[in-house]
Amino acid sequence: MTTTHSPAVHVRGLRYDYGSFEALRGVDIDVHSGELFVLLGTNGAGKTTTLDVLEGRCQPGGGSVRVLGMDPWRQRRDVTARVGIVLQESALPQELTPLEFLRLWNRLTDAASTHIPSDDNLACVGLAHRRDVRIGRLSGGERRRLDLATALATDPELLVLDEPTSGLDPETRTDTWDLLRDFLRRGTSILLTTHYLEEAATLADRLAILHRGRVAVSGPLDEVLAARRLPTLADVFHEVSTTTPEEVSR
């Protein structure tokens, strides 16, 4: 895996409109190389839109966006080859087995020389014993682990994970945290979204909270708590979620 010393994600002044609705109103985000950055958002904050732009699925309406030094909209194919993505919802082929699907995925994606062997990949996410079971017969949590295996298949430089532990039982969620820490030790950068504030507090090197299309809070958790004079991330999140648009824009 090739590493880079520049920010894995560098966003400045990102704007995006849905007609007359301003979904993003000048978002600034940096994901440093080799760190786990957690992006949180209140309802309708613009979190999903931000991820869509970073993944090259939406063209920004303004500002600058770089993922591994590239423009994800104009260089989406190059970005995709170096970034592993777990979407909030995926559509896995129900009639294939996990092993068949990962082997097919490896043939369809670029940079074949960097692929993690499919059996090893399934073992990483705790699915080795289900490798020959049709995907349609997997539980929701098992399918979520297969989503993660797909993102890891090309040994990516950056992981963009949209609620990757949603639907997992507590033990499997903890195992996933350990797996992500392993990739961090190898130099992988991770941008993760979650609804679990405990997960964010446990994993984040740094975090940001989006509210009403802007970054309301950003930084290491201890600095965020000190600046807000609050004891927990849940308290910070509650305070942010009750602010007005005028307060966010200050």
Side-chain angles (χ1 to χ4, degrees):
M1 179 177 64
T2 302
T3 57
T4 176
H5 296 291
S6 60
V9 175
H10 182 71
V11 177
R12 287 294 178 271
L14 175 59
R15 307 186 72 87
Y16 192 90
D17 298 339
Y18 294 99
S20 61
F21 174 68
E22 291 183 295
L24 301 175
R25 302 188 292 149
V27 169
D28 295 345
I29 292 173
D30 282 323
V31 178
H32 299 157
S33 180
E35 78 168 350
L36 193 151
F37 185 95
V38 175
L39 182 64
L40 302 170
T42 58
N43 290 334
K47 184 179 63 176
T48 298
T49 302
T50 301
L51 292 185
D52 285 344
V53 171
L54 294 179
E55 293 161 7
R57 292 189 287 164
C58 290
Q59 183 177 16
S64 173
V65 180
R66 292 294 180 270
V67 175
L68 300 176
M70 297 176 286
D71 181 333
W73 177 254
R74 293 184 173 84
Q75 299 171 274
R76 184 177 182 184
R77 182 179 179 85
D78 294 329
V79 169
T80 300
R82 296 167 60 187
V83 177
I85 297 172
V86 169
L87 301 175
Q88 195 171 43
E89 296 182 2
S90 63
L92 296 167
Q94 303 296 293
E95 296 305 312
L96 295 181
T97 69
L99 184 61
E100 291 170 340
F101 174 68
L102 284 180
R103 286 175 173 172
L104 175 62
W105 182 260
N106 287 348
R107 288 199 298 270
L108 294 176
T109 53
D110 292 331
S113 62
T114 67
H115 283 146
I116 298 173
S118 297
D119 282 305
D120 293 347
N121 197 351
L122 289 172
C124 276
V125 299
L127 282 179
H129 67 299
R130 304 286 276 172
R131 51 169 274 176
D132 297 318
V133 176
R134 294 191 188 278
I135 292 172
R137 296 182 60 189
L138 298 180
S139 69
E142 288 171 336
R143 288 195 294 271
R144 203 61 182 148
R145 281 185 272 167
L146 183 55
D147 287 334
L148 183 58
T150 305
L152 299 174
T154 55
D155 197 14
E157 296 170 56
L158 170 67
L159 286 169
V160 178
L161 309 177
D162 194 1
E163 301 184 26
T165 63
S166 177
L168 300 184
D169 60 75
E171 181 179 358
T172 305
R173 181 175 295 120
T174 300
D175 290 342
T176 301
W177 294 355
D178 291 339
L179 177 62
L180 295 181
R181 291 187 182 106
D182 286 341
F183 272 81
L184 286 172
R185 284 190 283 269
R186 296 169 54 183
T188 307
S189 306
I190 301 176
L191 170 59
L192 180 148
T193 76
T194 180
H195 283 305
Y196 302 115
L197 296 182
E198 177 193 3
E199 182 168 82
T202 300
L203 293 178
D205 294 307
R206 291 184 309 115
L207 57 86
I209 302 177
L210 284 177
H211 181 53
R212 300 183 184 269
R214 295 184 184 273
V215 175
V217 172
S218 182
L221 178 59
D222 56 349
E223 293 181 11
V224 167
L225 296 179
R228 294 269 173 164
R229 299 181 180 179
L230 292 170
T232 70
L233 179 57
D235 292 315
V236 174
F237 194 86
H238 175 73
E239 182 180 80
V240 168
S241 68
T242 57
T243 58
T244 66
E246 292 75 17
E247 290 171 323
V248 174
S249 63
R250 290 174 187 170

